[in-house]
Structures are given as C-alpha cells and as structure tokens.
Amino acid sequence: MTEEQEDQIIICRCEDITLREIRDLIRRGYQTMDEIKRASRAGMGQCQGRTCRSLIAQEIAQMTGQPLAEVRIPTFRPPIRPVKLGVLAEAEE
Amino acid sequence: MLDLADAVIIGGGINGLSVAYNLARLGLRKVRVLEKNYLASGATGRCGAGVRQQWGTEMNISLARASIKKFEVMNDELGYYRDIEFKQKGYLMLAYTGKQLEQFQKNVVLQRSLGVPVSLITPAEAGGIVPHLNTEGLLGATFCPEDGHVNPFHAAEAYALAAKRLGVEIHPFTEVQAILVEDGRVRGVLTAAGTVATPIVVNTAGGYSAEVSRMAGVEIPTYSERHQILVTEPVEPLQGPMVISFYHGIYCQQTPHGSFIMGQGDPNEPKGHDLGHSWQFLTEVARKVTWLLPPLKGLRLVRQWSGSYNMTPDAQPIIGEAAEVKGFFLAVGFSGHGFMLAPMTGQLLAEKILGLPTTLPIDMLGLERFARGELIREPSVV
Ligand SMILES: Cc1cc2nc3c(=O)[nH]c(=O)nc-3n(C[C@H](O)[C@H](O)[C@H](O)COP(=O)(O)OP(=O)(O)OC[C@H]3O[C@@H](n4cnc5c(N)ncnc54)[C@H](O)[C@@H]3O)c2cc1C
C-alpha cells in the first residue's frame, strides 16, 4: 500500500485518524494501544474506540510481530454512552 | 547483565524526561530513564496540563514564569516534529469572598513586580473575557493572558525525543526494584533486566516517590491522593481561558481540539494508589460547571479518569539531593502542579546535580525544610 492509500483509510472515524498516522506511530516505536491512543487521539472520541480498537491492535500485531492476543488493550473509560452535562447536573447523587 | 551509567532517572513522566534532557544538554554522557510502564503513563498523561503564573509566592511565580517562557519556544528548542499545542489564552481566576479578593490583590502586586502581565478585573470585565460566564455572586477576578495549557502527551514526547537525540537511553516497561547504597552513597539500581551501576539516581517517580525513596533508605513526607477529571465531546471554539474558582474548587478549559476538560479539588478523595473514579464526581462537577458556565449543559461527557497528586505537607515540591545519601536526588511531591513547572524543574535539578550554579534559587525546596519547620506558605494552591 502506498502512503497516499494509507492517507485515504480512516481508522478512527470519531477523531479522523488515518492508517498512515497509526503506522507512523508504530514505526516510531510505539508498541501498545495505550500509547497510540494518547499520541494520536485514536479511540478517544464519542464511541471510545469501539470500531478502531481491533483495527489498531491488528496493525500493531502485524508491524511488530507480536501475537494479536498479546497486544495490550487500553483501559476502558466510562461512560459507555455519552451523557450531557446538563443531565448529569440534575442526576441523583 | 551489569551496565554502567552516569545517571539513572527513575520515572518517565514530564519531570524525569525534562531532567534527562537537561542533564544531556549540559553535557552528561550516559543518562538512562527507566520507566516501569510507558512514558507519561503516570500523572503526566492524566493531568489537566494547565500552566499559570498566577501564584502567591515569589518562588512559584518565578518558576512558573520561566517555565512558560520555555513552553513558548519548546517546539523549536526541542526540535519537535509535531506541536505541543500550547494554548496561551489565559487563566481567569475567580474570587467569591472578600478574603479571596484581598489575597488576589496581594498576589497581583507581587506578580506584576516580577513581570507577569496580570490584572485585577471586575465581574463585568470577566464577563467580557468569557461571555458565557455566570457572574452571579462574583466579586472580582484576575486574568493573565500568557497562562494557558499544553498537550501533556506531546510535551512529554518532545522531551523524550530531544533527550534521545542527545544520547539519553529511555527504557519503558522497566521497573526499578531496588537502589544500591553503600557508605552513604548511591551505587546503582536493580531491575528485572539486571543491575545498572551509577553514582547518580534521580527519583522522579511521581505517585510512587515515597516507595522509591525508601528503596534508598530515605524517608520523605510525600503521599499520593487520587484526583479525577473528565472530558467532553469536541465542539467549536467557545472558551479562550482556563476558568478556575477556588471557591467551587473547580477548573475548566477548552482544548485546541475542541473538547472541554474539567476537574475539581475534592478534599475527600482517597489517599493511596487507587485510581478508580466515581459517579459522584461526575454529578458534582456537572452541577458546578453548568452553574458557572451554563452553555456547557449541552455538552456530552465522553470520558472520565483519575490520576495521583503526589502531596507534601506544604503542597510544594521537594527538589534537591537527599542529605543522607549522596547522589540520590529528588524532584517529587508536586502536589497537583508539577506539569507547569517541569521545564524549570528539569533545568534547575540538572544544574544542581552537575554542581553548577542554579539559574533560579531552589535551595528552599530541599527535603530538609520539613525537619527545620521552614514550610513554604503558598496561598494559591487548588
Ligand atoms: C487530575 C489531575 C490534574 C492535574 N492538573 C494539573 C495542571 O493543570 N497543571 C499542572 O501543572 N499539574 C497538574 N497535575 C499534576 C501533574 O500531573 C503532576 O504534578 C506531574 O505530571 C508530575 O510529573 P512527574 O513526571 O513528576 O510524575 P509522573 O508523571 O507521575 O511520572 C512518574 C513516573 O514514574 C514511574 N515509576 C514509578 N515507580 C517506578 C519504578 N519503581 N521504576 C520505574 N518507574 C517508576 C511511573 O510509572 C510514572 O510514569 C494534575 C494531576 C492530576 C492527577
């Protein structure tokens, strides 16, 4: 795949992160999803990584030769569905 | 494996990386950073990363001001390939009681005498700077347009890459398990991968500063306390400055990416290393912030997390050498404001380690101040 093609493929749709950006970070030596998430924002958007998590894990596994099962999965942060602050402000303790 | 190094830094947060970069820049050859997890996995990658000069002591104002000057040129100085995203749109600090306003008046006089372009402003003026601010009950505020915030992952990466270019070796996923001390001198550190012999060990272990000190037989009065934080979905630019209210114990900023980041100083947070988070935090912060900044009601929360404040008895850091163990240096106990000081912390501690005159005085931050009862009185901690 050419760099232009890598630029066309969006891995994280919430934050608009391309395959090229993910691969660049892995080439720079980032080997865990936690690091890639923090360095690129991939997986930090509205869906909290539901779509991109497995795609990134596969990229890491392929490029570093780690078995997929051993790629460290990032900490899952609540909430599962985005809630408005106005709703939280009225919620019970 | 037996390895030799001129200095070993324990902890790859913003402080460890800044110390390492500065040691190498000042000419020390074999500098190692050992980080038990990945870089910025501690408080650095979890923090609000607000940077302000609006402090109440000459020391903090000077340290913060010099650090802000470094953040301003950091992309160039460190040759960073991305951007540390320094958003210099100011800090708006709100006063709700006569006592707070009086303190702010004093602070502003001191800050201005040290060159900080800060002003005491009226509630109406505050409303002019942040139009969506609810000014009900507000007595006054201070505003410094040079304050702001930085992307902490990028700043840490910028230091790490610059340090590497100067020959620093950085080892993530390498935990220091023991520190070797002989005849009152540091001799080395022990990791699962082997021993590194070194005459200089720097403790920048953040939330684990007391545990790491104990490895060298040095007791320090630090402890860790959980602090929580949340982030919303990104929206169009709405808020320039960081807004902070000591009265509500709350801070709120909009990042260049568009999301809002906010947190609070909760005196009931648990001590220790538990980094969980609570529903109560969400409802409390949401209540306060939607009262203070009403349009934020419509923003969706996307994530919450927590990190450690490494606290000291006077909520000021410990920077210096441990008197009992030669070669054992500390930059710990930043008590919730160690990100903004890191550029100067790294430079000053590196100067101290190399026996150079320090650019700004730091001896008052030594460990001995607690035994001597010379605590620092800083009125403006969150
Ligand atoms: C919610 C929150 C909000 C904050 N907001 C701000 C703010 O707005 N402005 C500001 O200036 N500061 C803020 N802070 C404080 C700031 O995050 C810290 O003061 C700063 O990041 C400390 O950096 P550090 O490098 O000293 O420590 P850390 O970033 O904690 O790094 C220490 C590192 O040491 C490693 N380590 C520990 N033990 C060992 C061992 N035995 N071997 C190897 N490695 C080890 C850890 O894994 C960690 O990565 C906030 C903190 C929190 C939690």
Side-chain angles (χ1 to χ4, degrees):
Chain A
M1 203 181 302
T2 65
E3 289 193 342
E4 284 70 33
Q5 286 169 321
E6 289 180 357
D7 273 336
Q8 304 285 309
I9 300 176
I10 307 289
I11 293 283
C12 167
R13 274 179 286 167
C14 301
E15 295 289 338
D16 205 17
I17 310 294
T18 64
L19 179 59
R20 165 107 170 262
E21 288 171 83
I22 300 294
R23 288 191 172 166
D24 279 346
L25 289 168
I26 300 172
R27 276 182 215 114
R28 279 187 174 271
Y30 291 106
Q31 304 223 340
T32 64
M33 289 181 57
D34 261 319
E35 290 164 282
I36 289 172
K37 166 178 146 188
R38 286 166 173 77
S40 71
R41 312 196 58 85
M44 283 190 166
Q46 288 258 4
C47 90
Q48 290 291 288
R50 250 172 298 176
T51 346
C52 63
R53 216 179 307 163
S54 59
L55 298 174
I56 297 173
Q58 283 169 23
E59 281 305 316
I60 296 175
Q62 260 177 26
M63 289 178 67
T64 64
Q66 294 177 58
L68 189 56
E70 282 173 25
V71 176
R72 290 172 203 240
I73 297 298
T75 327
F76 187 69
R77 308 280 192 209
I80 294 167
R81 285 229 171 72
V83 199
K84 284 192 175 168
L85 293 184
V87 173
L88 281 170
E90 287 177 3
E92 304 275 316
E93 283 281 292
Chain B
M1 172 183 89
L2 179 71
D3 235 354
L4 294 172
D6 292 328
V8 168
I9 320 283
I10 306 177
I14 194 75
N15 280 305
L17 295 168
S18 175
V19 172
Y21 163 75
N22 279 286
L23 281 173
R25 183 179 62 84
L26 292 171
L28 199 66
R29 295 282 301 282
K30 289 180 140 184
V31 180
R32 298 278 168 85
V33 178
L34 306 183
E35 162 56 50
K36 73 172 169 189
N37 208 326
Y38 51 89
L39 299 183
S41 57
T44 298
R46 299 163 180 275
C47 76
V51 303
R52 63 166 153 123
Q53 305 165 71
Q54 297 182 65
W55 290 95
T57 57
E58 178 173 347
M59 174 200 74
N60 276 325
I61 299 166
S62 308
L63 283 176
R65 180 162 179 71
S67 293
I68 280 189
K69 294 290 156 212
K70 287 188 180 288
F71 281 122
E72 285 174 351
V73 297
M74 190 166 284
N75 288 325
D76 286 340
E77 185 195 331
L78 300 182
Y80 187 41
Y81 76 106
R82 298 200 282 184
D83 180 0
I84 64 159
E85 296 172 9
F86 187 13
K87 179 183 176 196
Q88 244 176 331
K89 288 281 167 72
Y91 251 66
L92 182 67
M93 302 185 66
L94 308 172
Y96 286 90
T97 66
K99 222 178 129 196
Q100 279 177 348
L101 195 61
E102 225 173 89
Q103 185 63 53
F104 279 11
Q105 282 161 345
K106 277 190 218 156
N107 291 355
V108 164
V109 172
L110 182 61
Q111 289 157 4
R112 290 188 71 94
S113 77
L114 295 165
V116 179
V118 61
S119 18
L120 191 68
I121 59 177
T122 63
E125 287 167 328
I129 294 171
V130 176
H132 58 288
L133 177 71
N134 169 13
T135 55
E136 185 187 327
L138 184 64
L139 295 183
T142 59
F143 182 67
C144 171
E146 286 179 356
D147 296 349
H149 49 86
V150 170
N151 180 325
F153 305 118
H154 288 197
E157 186 184 47
Y159 272 119
L161 294 175
K164 279 188 193 166
R165 277 199 304 273
L166 294 173
V168 173
E169 273 185 37
I170 299 181
H171 299 268
F173 303 106
T174 305
E175 180 171 3
V176 171
Q177 295 164 335
I179 298 174
L180 310 173
V181 175
E182 254 174 46
D183 307 323
R185 280 213 66 95
V186 158
R187 299 289 174 186
V189 302
L190 220 76
T191 74
T195 303
V196 186
T198 178
I200 293 167
V201 170
V202 185
N203 176 357
T204 48
Y208 291 85
S209 66
E211 286 85 345
V212 166
S213 274
R214 210 162 293 136
M215 293 179 191
V218 176
E219 288 295 325
I220 60 172
T222 58
Y223 61 91
S224 288
E225 197 175 87
R226 180 180 85 179
H227 280 260
Q228 305 186 60
I229 185 161
L230 69 82
V231 63
T232 71
E233 62 186 326
V235 289
E236 290 302 304
L238 175 69
Q239 181 175 319
M242 169 85 102
V243 173
I244 175 163
S245 164
F246 290 139
Y247 181 78
H248 300 95
I250 198 162
Y251 61 87
C252 175
Q253 77 203 39
Q254 186 176 21
T255 67
H257 159 261
S259 52
F260 278 77
I261 291 189
M262 57 196 80
Q264 66 173 352
D266 176 356
N268 301 317
E269 282 286 14
K271 295 187 177 27
H273 298 303
D274 164 30
L275 291 181
H277 29 63
S278 67
W279 170 253
Q280 193 197 353
F281 167 79
L282 294 181
T283 56
E284 274 179 27
V285 169
R287 214 172 300 129
K288 290 178 187 169
V289 97
T290 57
W291 181 86
L292 201 61
L293 303 159
L296 271 52
K297 279 193 186 115
L299 291 189
R300 287 186 184 79
L301 162 76
V302 295
R303 199 162 54 244
Q304 74 175 126
W305 67 93
S306 68
S308 279
Y309 276 21
N310 190 233
M311 302 298 299
T312 66
D314 57 5
Q316 301 301 310
I318 303 171
I319 304 177
E321 188 173 18
E324 317 134 66
V325 179
K326 285 265 153 292
F328 187 60
F329 291 86
L330 305 151
V332 300
F334 286 91
S335 307
H337 54 273
F339 179 80
M340 66 179 79
L341 303 179
M344 284 314 288
T345 298
Q347 174 171 332
L348 297 169
L349 188 58
E351 289 167 349
K352 180 115 189 142
I353 290 170
L354 298 175
L356 301 168
T358 57
T359 310
L360 287 172
I362 48 159
D363 286 345
M364 66 284 217
L365 288 170
L367 179 58
E368 314 75 47
R369 75 173 183 276
F370 302 105
R372 287 205 212 112
E374 292 168 359
L375 271 60
I376 296 164
R377 292 171 188 280
E378 168 56 68
S380 292
V381 270
V382 186

